[in-house]
Amino acid sequence: MTLDIRPFETPLGAEVRGVDLSQDLDDAAFAVIERAWNEHSVLLFRDQSIDEARQLAFSRRFGDLEIHVLDQYLHPEHPEILIVSNVMDGDRHVGIYDAGRYWHTDLSYMAVPSRGSLLYAIEIPHDAAGEPLGDTLFASTSAAYDALDAATRHRISGLKAEFSLANRHARLVADGDPGAVLSDTHRDRAPPVVHPVVRTHPITGRRSIYVNEGQTAGILGLPEDEARDLLHELCAHCTRPEFVYRHRWRAGDLLIWDNIPTQHLAICDYALPQRRYLHRTTLRGTPPQ
Ligand code: SIN
């Protein structure tokens, strides 16, 4: 099979065919994949069968890996793997079960947010009719930026926003998530940070809107009401249906997404005994500019 990149009909996303990630990829094939990732922001590899070591090795081709701040959900033998799952071991969650409840970009609450993430599906829940549950939606925040009118672009250029893990936690608590816990250690490891509202991709040069409903606490330097309204307006704009790709998971899917020009949202429409279990690796980024 030859490597084939098939773009989706949405402003982001493409399927990569003809690649078996359980085998070594030569540099030429990897260069095609990396270019496609920069161009399409989200890449899908179907029907993969990879163990932890293979996922780590493929992920490292894109850059250095993060060890996630929420260390209670790390893979016990491979700390660079974050377990995303609703599965319980007794009364303990084996993974982060409420990841992606709100639109967000991974680690936007860190001073140096993540460049990208790779999520490999091991178990996917289904409804009684066999349809997959637990879809993930991805929005192109660069398409959203391009669609802004000139006055709004001018208004937001140079603005900065505050991001915090505590903001995400407060939202989960407000929405009645019984397991939402944020220890003082985690709070100290991820104090509030400030990033530009518009960021420029270091490779493609494209601008994107960099605020999200889950992790942005507020826009700075504006009267409170105006800042709140602008944040809501930008978040709603970024996730308009025309900017969104909805991924319906199958076990064996590996998705890689670019956290700079995208946001994502995980739909929680399943519950045990429907099991969802995935492995995420997270690529280290650079400070947003
Ligand atoms: C995440 O936000 O990284 C998890 C997304 C998902 O569970 O689909």
mmCIF file with all atom_site columns, all heavy atoms in Angstrom, residues 84 99-100 104 106 119 136 257 264 266 276 280, ligand 1:
data_model
loop_
_atom_site.group_PDB
_atom_site.id
_atom_site.type_symbol
_atom_site.label_atom_id
_atom_site.label_alt_id
_atom_site.label_comp_id
_atom_site.label_asym_id
_atom_site.label_entity_id
_atom_site.label_seq_id
_atom_site.pdbx_PDB_ins_code
_atom_site.Cartn_x
_atom_site.Cartn_y
_atom_site.Cartn_z
_atom_site.occupancy
_atom_site.B_iso_or_equiv
_atom_site.pdbx_formal_charge
_atom_site.auth_seq_id
_atom_site.auth_comp_id
_atom_site.auth_asym_id
_atom_site.auth_atom_id
_atom_site.pdbx_PDB_model_num
ATOM   1   N N   . VAL A 1 84  ? -6.770  7.960  29.211 1.00 0.00 ? 84  VAL A N   1
ATOM   2   C CA  . VAL A 1 84  ? -8.056  8.664  29.099 1.00 0.00 ? 84  VAL A CA  1
ATOM   3   C C   . VAL A 1 84  ? -9.117  7.578  29.139 1.00 0.00 ? 84  VAL A C   1
ATOM   4   O O   . VAL A 1 84  ? -9.221  6.764  28.218 1.00 0.00 ? 84  VAL A O   1
ATOM   5   C CB  . VAL A 1 84  ? -8.121  9.450  27.766 1.00 0.00 ? 84  VAL A CB  1
ATOM   6   C CG1 . VAL A 1 84  ? -9.488  10.095 27.581 1.00 0.00 ? 84  VAL A CG1 1
ATOM   7   C CG2 . VAL A 1 84  ? -7.019  10.505 27.692 1.00 0.00 ? 84  VAL A CG2 1
ATOM   8   N N   . ALA A 1 99  ? -11.743 14.178 30.792 1.00 0.00 ? 99  ALA A N   1
ATOM   9   C CA  . ALA A 1 99  ? -10.911 14.962 29.857 1.00 0.00 ? 99  ALA A CA  1
ATOM   10  C C   . ALA A 1 99  ? -11.813 15.483 28.745 1.00 0.00 ? 99  ALA A C   1
ATOM   11  O O   . ALA A 1 99  ? -12.677 14.761 28.258 1.00 0.00 ? 99  ALA A O   1
ATOM   12  C CB  . ALA A 1 99  ? -9.819  14.093 29.252 1.00 0.00 ? 99  ALA A CB  1
ATOM   13  N N   . GLY A 1 100 ? -11.598 16.703 28.379 1.00 0.00 ? 100 GLY A N   1
ATOM   14  C CA  . GLY A 1 100 ? -12.280 17.213 27.188 1.00 0.00 ? 100 GLY A CA  1
ATOM   15  C C   . GLY A 1 100 ? -13.749 17.491 27.365 1.00 0.00 ? 100 GLY A C   1
ATOM   16  O O   . GLY A 1 100 ? -14.477 17.593 26.373 1.00 0.00 ? 100 GLY A O   1
ATOM   17  N N   . HIS A 1 104 ? -11.449 22.927 24.549 1.00 0.00 ? 104 HIS A N   1
ATOM   18  C CA  . HIS A 1 104 ? -10.144 23.324 25.093 1.00 0.00 ? 104 HIS A CA  1
ATOM   19  C C   . HIS A 1 104 ? -9.038  22.957 24.112 1.00 0.00 ? 104 HIS A C   1
ATOM   20  O O   . HIS A 1 104 ? -9.272  22.193 23.162 1.00 0.00 ? 104 HIS A O   1
ATOM   21  C CB  . HIS A 1 104 ? -9.879  22.599 26.424 1.00 0.00 ? 104 HIS A CB  1
ATOM   22  C CG  . HIS A 1 104 ? -9.642  21.135 26.241 1.00 0.00 ? 104 HIS A CG  1
ATOM   23  N ND1 . HIS A 1 104 ? -10.643 20.262 25.914 1.00 0.00 ? 104 HIS A ND1 1
ATOM   24  C CD2 . HIS A 1 104 ? -8.501  20.394 26.298 1.00 0.00 ? 104 HIS A CD2 1
ATOM   25  C CE1 . HIS A 1 104 ? -10.140 19.052 25.784 1.00 0.00 ? 104 HIS A CE1 1
ATOM   26  N NE2 . HIS A 1 104 ? -8.838  19.097 26.006 1.00 0.00 ? 104 HIS A NE2 1
ATOM   27  N N   . ASP A 1 106 ? -5.093  21.295 24.563 1.00 0.00 ? 106 ASP A N   1
ATOM   28  C CA  . ASP A 1 106 ? -4.385  20.602 25.632 1.00 0.00 ? 106 ASP A CA  1
ATOM   29  C C   . ASP A 1 106 ? -3.300  21.487 26.245 1.00 0.00 ? 106 ASP A C   1
ATOM   30  O O   . ASP A 1 106 ? -2.477  22.077 25.542 1.00 0.00 ? 106 ASP A O   1
ATOM   31  C CB  . ASP A 1 106 ? -3.780  19.294 25.108 1.00 0.00 ? 106 ASP A CB  1
ATOM   32  C CG  . ASP A 1 106 ? -4.886  18.316 24.738 1.00 0.00 ? 106 ASP A CG  1
ATOM   33  O OD1 . ASP A 1 106 ? -5.977  18.382 25.349 1.00 0.00 ? 106 ASP A OD1 1
ATOM   34  O OD2 . ASP A 1 106 ? -4.655  17.488 23.830 1.00 0.00 ? 106 ASP A OD2 1
ATOM   35  N N   . LEU A 1 119 ? -3.794  10.366 20.253 1.00 0.00 ? 119 LEU A N   1
ATOM   36  C CA  . LEU A 1 119 ? -4.730  9.597  21.076 1.00 0.00 ? 119 LEU A CA  1
ATOM   37  C C   . LEU A 1 119 ? -5.041  8.294  20.350 1.00 0.00 ? 119 LEU A C   1
ATOM   38  O O   . LEU A 1 119 ? -5.499  8.315  19.198 1.00 0.00 ? 119 LEU A O   1
ATOM   39  C CB  . LEU A 1 119 ? -5.997  10.424 21.303 1.00 0.00 ? 119 LEU A CB  1
ATOM   40  C CG  . LEU A 1 119 ? -7.000  9.939  22.340 1.00 0.00 ? 119 LEU A CG  1
ATOM   41  C CD1 . LEU A 1 119 ? -6.358  9.820  23.737 1.00 0.00 ? 119 LEU A CD1 1
ATOM   42  C CD2 . LEU A 1 119 ? -8.198  10.903 22.421 1.00 0.00 ? 119 LEU A CD2 1
ATOM   43  N N   . THR A 1 136 ? -15.281 12.666 19.465 1.00 0.00 ? 136 THR A N   1
ATOM   44  C CA  . THR A 1 136 ? -14.502 13.873 19.779 1.00 0.00 ? 136 THR A CA  1
ATOM   45  C C   . THR A 1 136 ? -14.672 14.866 18.631 1.00 0.00 ? 136 THR A C   1
ATOM   46  O O   . THR A 1 136 ? -14.559 14.490 17.459 1.00 0.00 ? 136 THR A O   1
ATOM   47  C CB  . THR A 1 136 ? -13.013 13.543 19.978 1.00 0.00 ? 136 THR A CB  1
ATOM   48  O OG1 . THR A 1 136 ? -12.913 12.470 20.922 1.00 0.00 ? 136 THR A OG1 1
ATOM   49  C CG2 . THR A 1 136 ? -12.241 14.737 20.517 1.00 0.00 ? 136 THR A CG2 1
ATOM   50  N N   . TRP A 1 257 ? -3.412  15.507 16.684 1.00 0.00 ? 257 TRP A N   1
ATOM   51  C CA  . TRP A 1 257 ? -3.889  16.851 16.391 1.00 0.00 ? 257 TRP A CA  1
ATOM   52  C C   . TRP A 1 257 ? -2.867  17.884 16.831 1.00 0.00 ? 257 TRP A C   1
ATOM   53  O O   . TRP A 1 257 ? -2.056  17.651 17.720 1.00 0.00 ? 257 TRP A O   1
ATOM   54  C CB  . TRP A 1 257 ? -5.254  17.130 17.007 1.00 0.00 ? 257 TRP A CB  1
ATOM   55  C CG  . TRP A 1 257 ? -5.358  17.056 18.494 1.00 0.00 ? 257 TRP A CG  1
ATOM   56  C CD1 . TRP A 1 257 ? -5.109  18.058 19.382 1.00 0.00 ? 257 TRP A CD1 1
ATOM   57  C CD2 . TRP A 1 257 ? -5.773  15.929 19.269 1.00 0.00 ? 257 TRP A CD2 1
ATOM   58  N NE1 . TRP A 1 257 ? -5.345  17.616 20.662 1.00 0.00 ? 257 TRP A NE1 1
ATOM   59  C CE2 . TRP A 1 257 ? -5.764  16.312 20.619 1.00 0.00 ? 257 TRP A CE2 1
ATOM   60  C CE3 . TRP A 1 257 ? -6.175  14.617 18.956 1.00 0.00 ? 257 TRP A CE3 1
ATOM   61  C CZ2 . TRP A 1 257 ? -6.113  15.453 21.658 1.00 0.00 ? 257 TRP A CZ2 1
ATOM   62  C CZ3 . TRP A 1 257 ? -6.524  13.754 19.985 1.00 0.00 ? 257 TRP A CZ3 1
ATOM   63  C CH2 . TRP A 1 257 ? -6.486  14.170 21.316 1.00 0.00 ? 257 TRP A CH2 1
ATOM   64  N N   . HIS A 1 264 ? -10.689 21.091 20.973 1.00 0.00 ? 264 HIS A N   1
ATOM   65  C CA  . HIS A 1 264 ? -11.492 19.876 20.876 1.00 0.00 ? 264 HIS A CA  1
ATOM   66  C C   . HIS A 1 264 ? -12.397 19.697 22.084 1.00 0.00 ? 264 HIS A C   1
ATOM   67  O O   . HIS A 1 264 ? -12.213 20.329 23.124 1.00 0.00 ? 264 HIS A O   1
ATOM   68  C CB  . HIS A 1 264 ? -10.625 18.637 20.624 1.00 0.00 ? 264 HIS A CB  1
ATOM   69  C CG  . HIS A 1 264 ? -9.546  18.413 21.631 1.00 0.00 ? 264 HIS A CG  1
ATOM   70  N ND1 . HIS A 1 264 ? -8.361  19.116 21.660 1.00 0.00 ? 264 HIS A ND1 1
ATOM   71  C CD2 . HIS A 1 264 ? -9.472  17.542 22.667 1.00 0.00 ? 264 HIS A CD2 1
ATOM   72  C CE1 . HIS A 1 264 ? -7.613  18.695 22.647 1.00 0.00 ? 264 HIS A CE1 1
ATOM   73  N NE2 . HIS A 1 264 ? -8.271  17.744 23.295 1.00 0.00 ? 264 HIS A NE2 1
ATOM   74  N N   . ALA A 1 266 ? -14.768 16.422 23.984 1.00 0.00 ? 266 ALA A N   1
ATOM   75  C CA  . ALA A 1 266 ? -15.125 14.994 24.020 1.00 0.00 ? 266 ALA A CA  1
ATOM   76  C C   . ALA A 1 266 ? -16.584 14.879 24.487 1.00 0.00 ? 266 ALA A C   1
ATOM   77  O O   . ALA A 1 266 ? -16.954 15.478 25.496 1.00 0.00 ? 266 ALA A O   1
ATOM   78  C CB  . ALA A 1 266 ? -14.193 14.255 24.980 1.00 0.00 ? 266 ALA A CB  1
ATOM   79  N N   . ARG A 1 276 ? -14.665 3.104  27.863 1.00 0.00 ? 276 ARG A N   1
ATOM   80  C CA  . ARG A 1 276 ? -13.869 3.904  26.920 1.00 0.00 ? 276 ARG A CA  1
ATOM   81  C C   . ARG A 1 276 ? -12.454 3.946  27.481 1.00 0.00 ? 276 ARG A C   1
ATOM   82  O O   . ARG A 1 276 ? -12.249 4.333  28.642 1.00 0.00 ? 276 ARG A O   1
ATOM   83  C CB  . ARG A 1 276 ? -14.457 5.304  26.812 1.00 0.00 ? 276 ARG A CB  1
ATOM   84  C CG  . ARG A 1 276 ? -13.883 6.159  25.671 1.00 0.00 ? 276 ARG A CG  1
ATOM   85  C CD  . ARG A 1 276 ? -14.698 7.442  25.554 1.00 0.00 ? 276 ARG A CD  1
ATOM   86  N NE  . ARG A 1 276 ? -14.366 8.221  24.357 1.00 0.00 ? 276 ARG A NE  1
ATOM   87  C CZ  . ARG A 1 276 ? -13.472 9.204  24.319 1.00 0.00 ? 276 ARG A CZ  1
ATOM   88  N NH1 . ARG A 1 276 ? -12.785 9.505  25.411 1.00 0.00 ? 276 ARG A NH1 1
ATOM   89  N NH2 . ARG A 1 276 ? -13.256 9.883  23.205 1.00 0.00 ? 276 ARG A NH2 1
ATOM   90  N N   . ARG A 1 280 ? -3.062  8.545  25.569 1.00 0.00 ? 280 ARG A N   1
ATOM   91  C CA  . ARG A 1 280 ? -2.671  9.821  24.952 1.00 0.00 ? 280 ARG A CA  1
ATOM   92  C C   . ARG A 1 280 ? -1.212  10.127 25.227 1.00 0.00 ? 280 ARG A C   1
ATOM   93  O O   . ARG A 1 280 ? -0.758  10.017 26.371 1.00 0.00 ? 280 ARG A O   1
ATOM   94  C CB  . ARG A 1 280 ? -3.531  10.966 25.494 1.00 0.00 ? 280 ARG A CB  1
ATOM   95  C CG  . ARG A 1 280 ? -3.339  12.240 24.664 1.00 0.00 ? 280 ARG A CG  1
ATOM   96  C CD  . ARG A 1 280 ? -4.164  13.384 25.182 1.00 0.00 ? 280 ARG A CD  1
ATOM   97  N NE  . ARG A 1 280 ? -3.343  14.283 25.983 1.00 0.00 ? 280 ARG A NE  1
ATOM   98  C CZ  . ARG A 1 280 ? -3.811  15.310 26.664 1.00 0.00 ? 280 ARG A CZ  1
ATOM   99  N NH1 . ARG A 1 280 ? -5.100  15.581 26.656 1.00 0.00 ? 280 ARG A NH1 1
ATOM   100 N NH2 . ARG A 1 280 ? -2.992  16.076 27.365 1.00 0.00 ? 280 ARG A NH2 1
HETATM 101 C C1  . SIN B 2 .   ? -8.538  15.063 25.429 1.00 0.00 ? 1   SIN B C1  1
HETATM 102 O O1  . SIN B 2 .   ? -9.091  16.130 25.670 1.00 0.00 ? 1   SIN B O1  1
HETATM 103 O O2  . SIN B 2 .   ? -7.343  14.982 25.205 1.00 0.00 ? 1   SIN B O2  1
HETATM 104 C C2  . SIN B 2 .   ? -9.362  13.799 25.388 1.00 0.00 ? 1   SIN B C2  1
HETATM 105 C C3  . SIN B 2 .   ? -10.257 13.764 24.223 1.00 0.00 ? 1   SIN B C3  1
HETATM 106 C C4  . SIN B 2 .   ? -11.159 12.556 24.240 1.00 0.00 ? 1   SIN B C4  1
HETATM 107 O O3  . SIN B 2 .   ? -11.300 11.911 25.289 1.00 0.00 ? 1   SIN B O3  1
HETATM 108 O O4  . SIN B 2 .   ? -11.744 12.253 23.212 1.00 0.00 ? 1   SIN B O4  1
#
